[in-house]
Amino acid sequence: MQFGANTFIWVSPFRTDTLWVIDRVADLGFDTVEVALEDSSIIDVDALAQKINQRGLVSAVCGAFGPDRDLAHEDPSIRDNAKKYIIDSLDFASRIGAKIFCGPAYSAVGKARPVEPAVKEAEWKRAVTGLQELGEEAQKRGVTIAVETLNRFETDFLNLASQLKRFLDEVGHPAVRGHLDTFHMNIEEKDLGEAIRFIGGDLVHFHACENDRGAPGTGHVEWEKVRDALHDIGYEGMVVIESFTPGVKEIAKAASIWRPLEKDEDTLAAKGLEFLRTLLPV
Ligand code: LER
Ligand code: MN
């Protein structure tokens, strides 16, 4: 298991002049940095790759799916924009040596509306087809797309591990797998352990987040259930703390961070890491 921190804890958008975040993540003792990718054109990718390497970190890339990055959308130009963004992110991931591109790649974050079953079915099909194509692109680059469930306020598409499993089975591509986040699971799942076991071997990425997006271990997520289930499925991937600066841009409304969650960002990350290392000895 590798313990990681998402750059969204400190900055948004991540850009060349925020490369100091990589040093911060390494200095705090993390093994992994998850780079939140809002706009690759403002990042010097070679400098980032060099910095990640120098600091001996493993990396992952986290998608930021704003409203015009929606693979399920009825408008083909919006779907194409999502594809373009995902392919660009896969290129970016391979250039920084990341093997995982994670997040809700099926749709836009914050798209949560009542829809007729026929509309839902059409959206589902478009997202399945889109991810089948993008799975090929990911595989060519040696990257896996880790598809994340979100809570009901951030998506009406995939809220539960059981829905994610059905989705992954329909996509049926080895480079399109599962990603769970305890923040969302805490809202949606009846049992955190059962949800993790349901995805089982298809779980390739994990966000360990407190119920308020504060430091893991300071709230009421049932961490022992998480620990036991990750152990039972033999999970050996990354365990990443994801929280957000109140200045988060691309997904500001969806993240809804209206107050600091700790004294400062470093405290949130350091406290969370200490807790997770004790909870999940490797
Ligand atoms: C993304 O990893 C996530 O968990 C979302 O809640 C972002 O809004
Ligand atoms: Mn997440």
Side-chain angles (χ1 to χ4, degrees):
M1 241 177 252
Q2 303 105 51
F3 297 98
N6 188 301
T7 57
F8 267 143
I9 297 174
W10 292 272
V11 294
S12 171
F14 183 83
R15 53 198 299 160
T16 305
D17 60 11
T18 60
L19 276 184
W20 57 266
V21 173
I22 307 301
D23 285 319
R24 190 66 58 86
V25 169
D27 290 344
L28 286 165
F30 287 93
D31 317 302
T32 290
V33 62
E34 188 174 277
V35 179
L37 186 58
E38 289 175 85
D39 179 358
S40 66
S41 73
I42 55 174
I43 305 173
D44 179 339
V45 190
D46 294 329
L48 172 62
Q50 200 184 359
K51 168 84 57 198
I52 288 170
N53 240 336
Q54 257 171 12
R55 298 304 313 253
L57 291 167
V58 175
S59 64
V61 176
C62 174
F65 294 91
D68 61 347
R69 294 171 177 170
D70 183 352
L71 213 47
H73 206 281
E74 60 181 352
D75 179 343
S77 70
I78 295 183
R79 294 204 296 280
D80 285 349
N81 193 52
K83 283 184 197 165
K84 204 165 131 266
Y85 168 68
I86 294 172
I87 290 174
D88 179 60
S89 301
L90 295 170
D91 281 337
F92 179 91
S94 79
R95 284 180 66 190
I96 65 166
K99 301 262 175 276
I100 294 281
F101 171 61
C102 69
Y106 43 82
S107 184
V109 176
K111 187 177 170 192
R113 338 119 294 166
V115 280
E116 296 297 326
V119 174
K120 195 141 216 176
E121 189 54 34
E123 291 185 346
W124 181 277
K125 286 208 175 99
R126 290 193 283 262
V128 167
T129 316
L131 278 164
Q132 283 169 338
E133 282 173 31
L134 290 162
E136 287 296 300
E137 298 297 328
Q139 198 165 38
K140 277 190 224 161
R141 293 163 176 82
V143 179
T144 298
I145 300 174
V147 180
E148 183 181 30
T149 61
L150 300 180
N151 73 76
R152 66 190 67 187
F153 305 108
E154 296 190 41
T155 189
D156 54 52
F157 199 93
L158 293 183
N159 301 132
L160 293 168
S162 54
Q163 296 170 318
L164 174 60
K165 177 89 179 107
R166 182 162 80 84
F167 186 75
L168 295 177
D169 287 348
E170 275 191 43
V171 173
H173 196 289
V176 182
R177 313 281 289 281
H179 167 192
L180 292 172
D181 176 330
T182 50
F183 171 79
H184 303 295
M185 295 165 76
N186 175 64
I187 295 171
E188 299 299 339
E189 304 285 354
K190 298 275 191 211
D191 185 300
L192 302 191
E194 270 177 33
I196 291 169
R197 289 186 187 88
F198 207 91
I199 303 297
D202 261 336
L203 188 73
V204 295
H205 200 63
F206 198 72
H207 280 167
C209 308
E210 199 43 90
N211 61 281
D212 63 349
R213 290 271 187 211
T218 61
H220 61 247
V221 165
E222 294 174 301
W223 292 106
E224 290 73 21
K225 285 193 173 178
V226 171
R227 174 197 61 204
D228 294 350
L230 289 178
H231 177 266
D232 290 354
I233 67 166
Y235 183 73
E236 286 183 344
M238 299 171 186
V239 174
V240 176
I241 302 174
E242 181 188 49
S243 186
F244 303 90
T245 153
V248 60
K249 296 283 180 308
E250 185 75 26
I251 51 172
K253 177 71 178 69
S256 291
I257 303 291
W258 313 128
R259 61 194 152 86
L261 296 159
E262 274 291 345
K263 172 159 79 63
D264 54 41
E265 295 85 355
D266 291 3
T267 307
L268 189 154
K271 254 195 202 176
L273 177 60
E274 194 186 349
F275 172 77
L276 291 173
R277 281 208 193 275
T278 312
L279 179 79
L280 301 163
V282 279

